[in-house]
Amino acid sequence: MARVTLENLTKVFSGDRKQGSKVAVDNVSLEISSGEFVVLVGPSGCGKTTVLRMIAGLEDISGGSIRIGGRRINDIPPKDRDIAMVFQNYALYPHMTVSRNMSFGLEVRGFPKAEIARRVDEAARVLGLLHPDNLLNRRPKALSGGQRQRVALGRAMVREPQVFLFDEPLSNLDAKMRVETRAEISRLHRTVGSTMIFVTHDQTEAMTMADRIVVMSEGRVQQIGTPEDLYHQPVNRFVAGFIGSPTMNFFSGRLEKTQGSLRFVEQGEGSHAEPWAIRMNPELSARLASQADRPIVLGIRPEHLTPDSPQPGALGMMVELVEPMGAETYLFGQTAGHPCTCRITFHETKGLEGQKIHLIPNFDHLHFFNPTSGEEVSGPKIQRIKLPLPVPHKKSRDL
Amino acid sequence: MLLLGFGLWFALPFFWMVSTSLKPLRETMKMPPVWLPIPPQWQNYPEAMAAMGPFWLYAANSLVLASLNVVGTVLSSALVAYGFSRLDWKGRDGLFFVLLMTMMIPFPVVMVPLYGLFRELGWIGTMKPLWVPAFLAGAFNVFLLRQFFMTLPRDLTEAARMDGCSEFRIFWQIILPLARPALLTVALFQFMATWNDFLGPLIFLAREDQYTLALGLQALQSTISGTPWHHLMAASTLVVLPVVFLFFLTQKTFLRGIAATGLK
C-alpha cells in the first residue's frame, strides 16, 4: 500500500535526424492515493503506456518526478521500487513451469523456500490454478490465453508489492475471458488492497474497474475523475467523445438570440433538409449567454434523445440502421447535417429503417463545446440532487 | 524430383570417398571407375590409422580443441551478442557495423600479423593460438546470435527486470535457455570449423604430439611412394564421421535454429 505521486512528469523520445524528438508525455501530474484503482485511458499513442513504464522504471524520466510512498524513485532501479507489472503479452518465461514462473521473482530476491512455496500456493489457489486442473507443472505453451493471464497475475501477486501496474492485460483475451478477468482483477484489488494502476484503450474497462479514470490524449491529461464525473461532466469534447458507448452525438451549429432566450441552430455541410433548431430553456440560456451568436458544438449522448411525435424543436433523424441489443436498441441515422445515434429501450423497432423519426433531447444532459478548442463552455452545472447510495464506496461492499 | 537430384549430386563426393576407402589401391584410379568395390577392403581402415601415426592422440587433440572452441565461442559470442541486441548504449550500432566488417577480411590476410602476435606472446608451438581466440567471440556467430536475440520479446527481459534480475542474470537464466537452438547452431558450426581446420594447426603447432586429425591426414598424402588413396579416403571417412554423427544427433534443433535465425 502506497500513494503514488507524479509531478510534471515528462517524457521526450529523442528521434533520429529525419524525425525530431517527440514529446510522448507532457507535464503529467497525478496523485494516486494508497489502495486506489486508477485507470489510464486514451487512444493508442496518447502516452498512457509510457507513463506506466516510467513508473515501472522501464523508461527513463525526461522531466518531473515520481514518488511512491513519499520516496522519490526517479533514479531507483525497477527491482527496488517494490512494484509488480502485468504485461499485455503476459511475458511468461516460456522455458519455465507455471509455478517456477511465479516463484522466480522471489527466488531472485532470496526469499526462503518455505515462504516462496506458501505464497505460490496461495496465489495458485486464489486464481484457480489448482482446480479443476492443476496447472502448476505445465509450461505456458500448454495454457489458454486466460490461464496465462492468470499466471501473470499470480506472478505479480506473490511479490506482494506496494503497487501493481497493468499494461493492457486484457486486450489479448476473447470477449468472454475479458469480462471474467476484469472481474478477477477487481476482486484481486479488493482482496489485497494494493494501489493499482491500469492502462487500457478500452473505455468500458476503464468505466467498470476504476475508482478514478485519467483520460489522456497526445501526452496530456485531459480529465481526471470518477467514472460518473467523466460520463456526466466531461470537460472537453475529447473526453465527451471518448467515454461512453455508443459515442456522444455532436452537432455543430450556432446559438442565436431570439426573444430573450437562446436558440440552437444546426449547421451541417451540404444539407438539403431543414436544419434543426431548438429553443434552450431559461437555465441553459442564462449559462450560455456569453456564447450567443457564436459557433458552437452541441453534444448529446444517444440515451438522452427520446423519440416523440413531430413538434417544434424535435430533431428529425432518418433511421439507416437498427441494432437490437436485447434490453435496448441502437438506432443509427442522419439528421439534416450530422450522423446521429439514438439509444432506446422500447421494442417496437420493426420497420424503422428508412423512416424519419423525431427526437426530443433531455435538457439536463446537454453539453456545449467550443468548436476550436473543444472546451466545455456551458459553465458550472447547477448541482443536481444526487440519489443517496446505500454505501458510499464500492470498495466497502462485501464480496 | 529436382531436390532429390541435387541431393544425390551433393552426396556423390561423400559416396566416392567411402567407396574409395574400401578399394584396393590399384582400383582407386581405374577407368572406368569402380563404384562398388567387391569385396570391400575393410583392412584399409586399421592400415590407414597405423599409417597416420598416433591416430588416437590426434583424435584426442582434435576433440580437446573442438570442445574448448565450442565452449569459448558459444559463451563469448552470446555475451557479446547480448550486448549488441538487448542493451542500449551509445555507438552500439556503429561498433556492430565495424564488427561485421571484420567478417570481410579473409584469413590469409591476417595470417602473418597473427603469427607475429602469437610469437610475441610466446604461444607458437603451443595449442593456445588455436583455442584462446575462441573466447573472444567471432563476428559471424555474434551476428547470428544477435539476430536471434532480437526476435525474443522485449517484454520477457522487462518482466525479468521487474522480478529483480540483474542484467547478467537475465542473460543467463532467461535469454540463454530460450536461445538454445541458435546456440546449438553456433556450437555445431564451431565444432565443424575447428575439427576441419587444417591451416591453423599447420601454422601454429610444432610438435607432432600436438597434431590434430586434420593435420594428421597430411601424413598420408605425402608419402614417398605417392598417395595411398585408399588409405587417405579411409582416414578421411573416419575423420568426418564424428561431424556426420553430431549433425544427425542435433539435426532437429539445428535446422530449427537456422530457420529461426534466417526467417524471423
Side-chain angles (χ1 to χ4, degrees):
Chain A
M1 298 268 267
R3 69 195 287 118
V4 178
T5 315
L6 314 183
E7 282 168 3
N8 305 104
L9 196 64
T10 299
K11 175 71 189 181
V12 182
F13 285 110
S14 49
D16 49 27
R17 275 170 231 126
K18 270 179 257 161
Q19 282 175 297
S21 53
K22 183 181 176 293
V23 180
V25 175
D26 189 1
N27 251 312
V28 169
S29 293
L30 180 61
E31 178 93 40
I32 299 167
S33 15
S34 187
E36 197 177 13
F37 197 120
V38 165
V39 176
L40 305 182
V41 67
S44 55
C46 72
K48 56 191 190 298
T49 298
T50 311
V51 169
L52 195 77
R53 290 171 56 84
M54 282 195 279
I55 299 173
L58 298 172
E59 210 75 69
D60 289 335
I61 296 168
S62 310
S65 69
I66 301 177
R67 285 170 202 284
I68 296 180
R71 184 171 65 132
R72 192 183 138 102
I73 55 154
N74 282 36
D75 302 314
I76 293 175
K79 65 187 169 80
D80 299 325
R81 294 186 181 195
D82 201 9
I83 44 186
M85 182 156 166
V86 177
F87 291 83
Q88 180 174 2
N89 305 316
Y90 324 123
L92 299 178
Y93 310 123
H95 58 297
M96 295 182 188
T97 61
V98 165
S99 75
R100 187 88 208 288
N101 258 288
M102 294 203 279
S103 64
F104 185 66
L106 299 176
E107 282 169 29
V108 171
R109 281 155 208 272
F111 276 78
K113 278 218 168 69
E115 175 68 11
I116 296 177
R118 189 190 65 75
R119 288 193 188 186
V120 170
D121 215 56
E122 160 131 29
R125 202 173 42 74
V126 170
L127 293 169
L129 299 176
L130 300 172
H131 300 287
D133 301 312
N134 187 339
L135 307 176
L136 283 184
N137 290 319
R138 298 223 188 134
R139 295 281 165 93
K141 208 166 48 182
L143 302 180
S144 70
Q147 289 169 333
R148 285 181 207 178
Q149 192 55 68
R150 288 209 297 266
V151 176
L153 277 178
R155 182 168 66 180
M157 268 172 75
V158 295
R159 294 256 321 276
E160 299 179 3
Q162 292 200 331
V163 181
F164 281 88
L165 306 177
F166 298 90
D167 183 13
E168 309 215 15
L170 307 181
S171 54
N172 284 352
L173 300 177
D174 63 48
K176 186 166 165 281
M177 268 325 296
R178 199 175 304 169
V179 174
E180 279 175 26
T181 314
R182 207 159 75 192
E184 191 114 36
I185 293 174
S186 291
R187 202 164 57 229
L188 173 71
H189 180 228
R190 280 194 292 265
T191 326
V192 302
S194 297
T195 311
M196 294 192 177
I197 307 174
F198 191 103
V199 159
T200 179
H201 61 267
D202 179 2
Q203 59 95 25
T204 316
E205 279 172 28
M207 293 293 279
T208 49
M209 300 170 81
D211 290 334
R212 276 194 307 156
I213 298 176
V214 179
V215 182
M216 291 186 66
S217 169
E218 292 174 353
R220 295 211 187 89
V221 170
Q222 301 293 321
Q223 188 171 2
I224 304 174
T226 63
E228 293 79 16
D229 281 348
L230 261 55
Y231 192 78
H232 294 295
Q233 300 183 0
V235 297
N236 59 34
R237 185 174 167 172
F238 178 82
V239 176
F242 194 80
I243 301 288
S245 172
T247 54
M248 191 184 272
N249 299 301
F250 294 106
F251 304 95
S252 47
R254 291 178 73 82
L255 282 171
E256 290 174 358
K257 222 186 260 179
T258 46
Q259 301 158 8
S261 65
L262 290 175
R263 200 167 75 117
F264 174 82
V265 182
E266 181 187 10
Q267 286 177 330
E269 307 97 44
S271 61
H272 309 292
E274 178 118 337
W276 175 44
I278 183 171
R279 184 185 289 274
M280 300 285 110
N281 64 13
E283 184 214 324
L284 278 170
S285 294
R287 273 168 49 201
L288 290 163
S290 62
Q291 303 297 321
D293 294 323
R294 284 205 203 157
I296 202 155
V297 174
L298 168 61
I300 314 173
R301 292 207 183 273
E303 61 269 37
H304 297 139
L305 286 169
T306 318
D308 209 325
S309 53
Q311 55 189 276
L315 168 64
M317 177 175 97
M318 193 60 87
V319 180
E320 290 173 342
L321 182 69
V322 176
E323 272 189 4
M325 306 295 288
E328 54 193 22
T329 303
Y330 301 156
L331 306 177
F332 297 93
Q334 287 283 339
T335 68
H338 299 91
C340 180
T341 312
C342 170
R343 179 170 168 177
I344 54 176
T345 45
F346 64 85
H347 301 295
E348 303 89 61
T349 53
K350 253 194 199 149
L352 267 183
E353 278 173 40
Q355 298 273 320
K356 186 170 180 181
I357 58 169
H358 300 273
L359 303 167
I360 301 296
N362 181 341
F363 278 102
D364 285 342
H365 296 281
L366 298 187
H367 306 271
F368 294 89
F369 305 99
N370 182 309
T372 37
S373 72
E375 304 267 322
E376 154 77 36
V377 292
S378 64
K381 288 232 166 86
I382 293 160
Q383 202 65 43
R384 257 175 252 106
I385 301 156
K386 279 190 182 166
L387 289 176
L389 294 168
V391 270
H393 207 251
K394 73 171 183 184
K395 197 114 329 100
S396 49
R397 221 181 291 155
D398 284 326
L399 276 172
Chain B
M1 246 350 254
L2 193 71
L3 281 179
L4 193 71
F6 270 112
L8 286 177
W9 182 250
F10 287 138
L12 193 62
F14 187 75
F15 173 76
W16 185 246
M17 175 177 80
V18 177
S19 149
T20 307
S21 76
L22 294 172
K23 291 172 193 169
L25 181 58
R26 65 192 147 73
E27 274 182 20
T28 56
M29 289 291 144
K30 207 165 158 187
M31 276 295 163
V34 181
W35 289 101
L36 287 172
I38 298 169
Q41 308 291 310
W42 294 108
Q43 75 279 8
N44 283 352
Y45 281 80
E47 281 173 18
M49 282 164 70
M52 267 175 81
F55 179 87
W56 292 111
L57 180 67
Y58 294 168
N61 287 340
S62 279
L63 198 65
V64 167
L65 273 182
S67 313
L68 280 171
N69 270 283
V70 165
V71 172
T73 301
V74 168
L75 285 184
S76 60
S77 299
L79 199 61
V80 174
Y82 184 79
F84 274 123
S85 60
R86 310 296 287 203
L87 303 180
D88 282 320
W89 39 281
K90 232 184 157 80
R92 182 186 79 172
D93 295 344
L95 207 62
F96 184 66
F97 188 68
V98 172
L99 180 80
L100 285 187
M101 287 200 300
T102 63
M103 274 169 64
M104 288 186 248
I105 307 171
F107 181 67
V109 173
V110 291
M111 203 159 73
V112 173
L114 216 52
Y115 189 87
L117 177 72
F118 288 134
R119 195 186 48 208
E120 286 300 310
L121 291 169
W123 286 2
I124 299 299
T126 73
M127 281 183 158
K128 279 183 198 155
L130 298 177
W131 65 267
V132 173
F135 282 81
L136 301 176
F140 175 72
N141 294 327
V142 169
F143 174 70
L144 196 90
L145 290 175
R146 173 182 177 265
Q147 298 313 103
F148 189 86
F149 288 171
M150 295 211 309
T151 65
L152 298 174
R154 222 174 172 95
D155 279 2
L156 280 182
T157 11
E158 290 179 343
R161 203 161 295 153
M162 302 291 293
D163 265 345
C165 288
S166 63
E167 209 58 59
F168 185 76
R169 193 157 187 158
I170 294 174
F171 169 70
W172 195 250
Q173 287 200 300
I174 307 292
I175 297 293
L176 280 195
L178 291 177
R180 233 181 60 149
L183 295 177
L184 214 69
T185 307
V186 168
L188 203 60
F189 278 156
Q190 188 59 42
F191 184 86
M192 288 201 292
T194 313
W195 191 263
N196 297 333
D197 185 20
F198 174 73
L199 206 51
L202 180 68
I203 297 170
F204 299 120
L205 295 183
R207 298 202 318 270
E208 229 170 80
D209 63 342
Q210 295 169 329
Y211 276 15
T212 60
L213 279 178
L215 209 51
L217 281 182
Q218 189 199 207
L220 288 177
Q221 204 170 12
S222 39
T223 49
I224 311 159
S225 53
T227 304
W229 288 107
H230 57 317
H231 286 164
L232 184 62
M233 288 304 138
S236 301
T237 307
L238 286 177
V239 170
V240 296
L241 220 51
V243 177
V244 174
F245 180 68
L246 209 64
F247 190 84
F248 276 120
L249 211 65
T250 54
Q251 191 183 28
K252 222 171 125 194
T253 334
F254 180 65
L255 290 179
R256 196 147 46 101
I258 291 184
T261 47
L263 295 176
K264 272 191 99 180

